[in-house]
Amino acid sequence: MARTTGSDGEKTEAAVREAAVSLIARLGYEAMSMRQLAAEVGVQAAALYRYFPTKEDLLFTLMREHMEGLLKAWGAARPASADPVTRLAAYVENHIAFHIERRHATHVSNMELRSLSHERLTQILKMRTAYEKELRTILRDGAEAGVFQIDDTGLTAMALIQMMTGVIVWFRPGERLSIAEVTASYLSMTMRLVGATISHGTARPSGRARDAVAL
Amino acid sequence: MARTTGSDGEKTEAAVREAAVSLIARLGYEAMSMRQLAAEVGVQAAALYRYFPTKEDLLFTLMREHMEGLLKAWGAARPASADPVTRLAAYVENHIAFHIERRHATHVSNMELRSLSHERLTQILKMRTAYEKELRTILRDGAEAGVFQIDDTGLTAMALIQMMTGVIVWFRPGERLSIAEVTASYLSMTMRLVGATISHGTARPSGRARDAVAL
DNA sequence: GAATTAATTGAACGTTCGTTTTATTATGTC
DNA sequence: GACATAATAAAACGAACGTTCAATTAATTC
């Protein structure tokens, strides 16, 4: 009835995070109890409080690290090129790859915002806005350069992000489509949606998706 | 401490539904307590059980009627024409109008599915699938007729629905854009995304959104 | 106006919740 | 091997949860 043999704080904390993401994604934050989470980790509920002072702290930590990871991933994937088409393609590819890889965490970050305190909600939304702004900038640059035909930059950015993030709702790894096929299709749909004028000669304006993507 | 003057079952039930949609949309189903809901209606918690036997029954009723309303609305808006472009335009317009008008109910129907029992979840998903199938059929017909350039009908249908439904996340009535402007933009983006060949001479293939929509 | 039905209250039920406290044991250090 | 520290268990806290029940009053019916 105390410390167990082989117990290790770092490993336990990592196990708690992993189990929490999976449980919250499946049951929802409010519906998941600390006792359930503890049972999943193989520990008593009280032990969780060694790592996270409250349930909401746990949620916030998961969300903050998810958003930081997204911004960091885009920072690494962002191309040096100034060409809007290249930048948009990189954004789409990074977004889809990241979100498919972290389906559960994305679910949590998108669905459980209302369980955060006002202050913490603001923090998360700030990161999200920064990420979305990157896309708006690309779209605006492309529109000004005349390579995109866009009605409303803000509206188009939101539509694209909703469309891309929606992948996690229906995509299941190992089913009909591979990640590469899904990414190729979404890239093609994106380019068509923004009315991209193909500048690399790799695709025709009204060509099939495969053409527009196979670069 | 009993029946109150002027009390009326029908009015109370309607008030409960309305308050429930709004509260669940704002707080989430699990986070909303029956006492909170009762207070919003101006009644004691026990009174709710005269209208809905359990909390989950209440949720299910709201969702089922929302989905029935969506299918009914599409049934009324579905054009007689066989032209895929006309049908797709009607689908987009109906979808956006319906979802903007019922933002809160849509939020509930999309976010709280995991709180339903397996059997009831199946019922709701059946209706949702039937609604989505209508779009897939339009896309397939258009692709076969050669007026749409589509890679994967199922994937495109999901992408379009996610994109359109996403409107409720950011759209707020009375702000920058009107419902008509939003609908016009989404219609334009949709037609471009599916690579629609304009058959009415109302827009150029690579034209601005306004051109493609102003019919 | 008496009897019946509809609508609601107030109190209580047992359960579960997030969290705290205290005790206990394993591990690392000298 | 003594001692400090890290990691957990076990038990308990008050509060809140969904729900039930009996009592009570308003509206309706005859």
Side-chain angles (χ1 to χ4, degrees), chain A:
Chain A
M1 49 166 90
R3 178 164 189 172
T4 56
T5 66
S7 59
D8 177 335
E10 282 193 33
K11 287 181 184 170
T12 302
E13 179 171 351
V16 170
R17 287 165 190 258
E18 199 175 331
V21 168
S22 154
L23 270 183
I24 296 175
R26 188 161 75 244
L27 311 173
Y29 169 76
E30 295 282 353
M32 177 200 75
S33 77
M34 294 300 268
R35 285 171 179 84
Q36 249 179 311
L37 173 58
E40 192 83 4
V41 176
V43 102
Q44 291 298 314
L48 302 175
Y49 289 82
R50 171 165 253 275
Y51 307 100
F52 302 96
T54 69
K55 192 185 178 189
E56 197 213 315
D57 277 284
L58 168 57
L59 176 64
F60 177 65
T61 300
L62 298 177
M63 286 187 172
R64 195 194 53 226
E65 294 181 354
H66 177 75
M67 291 307 298
E68 285 170 354
L70 178 58
L71 285 166
K72 195 178 165 190
W74 169 237
R78 181 200 279 121
S81 161
D83 172 37
V85 173
T86 305
R87 286 155 66 203
L88 180 56
Y91 194 93
V92 171
E93 281 165 358
N94 181 68
H95 187 95
I96 291 182
F98 187 88
H99 283 82
I100 282 187
E101 205 167 334
R102 311 204 198 179
R103 267 175 50 218
H104 293 316
T106 301
H107 228 86
V108 173
S109 286
N110 287 347
M111 308 259 293
E112 308 294 351
L113 287 168
R114 58 188 163 201
S115 294
L116 292 179
S117 70
H118 180 74
E119 189 204 3
R120 289 175 156 175
L121 174 63
T122 304
Q123 268 187 261
I124 298 294
L125 290 183
K126 201 167 283 179
M127 290 192 267
R128 182 197 266 205
T129 302
Y131 177 70
E132 293 170 354
K133 195 186 172 192
E134 294 282 312
L135 177 56
R136 275 201 299 276
T137 302
I138 295 172
L139 295 181
R140 183 165 27 77
D141 289 353
E144 287 176 359
V147 297
F148 295 159
Q149 305 298 320
I150 292 176
D151 224 27
D152 183 304
T153 304
L155 185 146
T156 303
M158 294 311 292
L160 281 177
I161 286 179
Q162 302 286 351
M163 178 183 91
M164 290 188 293
T165 306
V167 158
I168 66 169
V169 173
W170 56 266
F171 183 80
R172 294 293 174 277
E175 283 193 0
R176 190 167 62 90
L177 298 168
S178 71
I179 295 184
E181 288 171 321
V182 170
T183 305
S185 269
Y186 271 79
L187 196 46
S188 161
M189 291 190 292
T190 298
M191 290 304 173
R192 265 206 272 231
L193 191 149
V194 301
T197 306
I198 310 303
S199 52
H200 298 2
T202 51
R204 291 163 287 130
S206 285
R208 294 210 144 266
R210 196 148 292 132
D211 300 334
V213 163
L215 47 131

Side-chain angles (χ1 to χ4, degrees), chain B residues 55-76:
Chain B
K55 193 186 179 188
E56 197 214 315
D57 277 284
L58 169 57
L59 176 65
F60 177 64
T61 300
L62 297 177
M63 287 187 170
R64 196 195 52 224
E65 293 180 353
H66 178 74
M67 292 308 297
E68 285 170 352
L70 178 58
L71 285 166
K72 195 178 163 190
W74 168 237

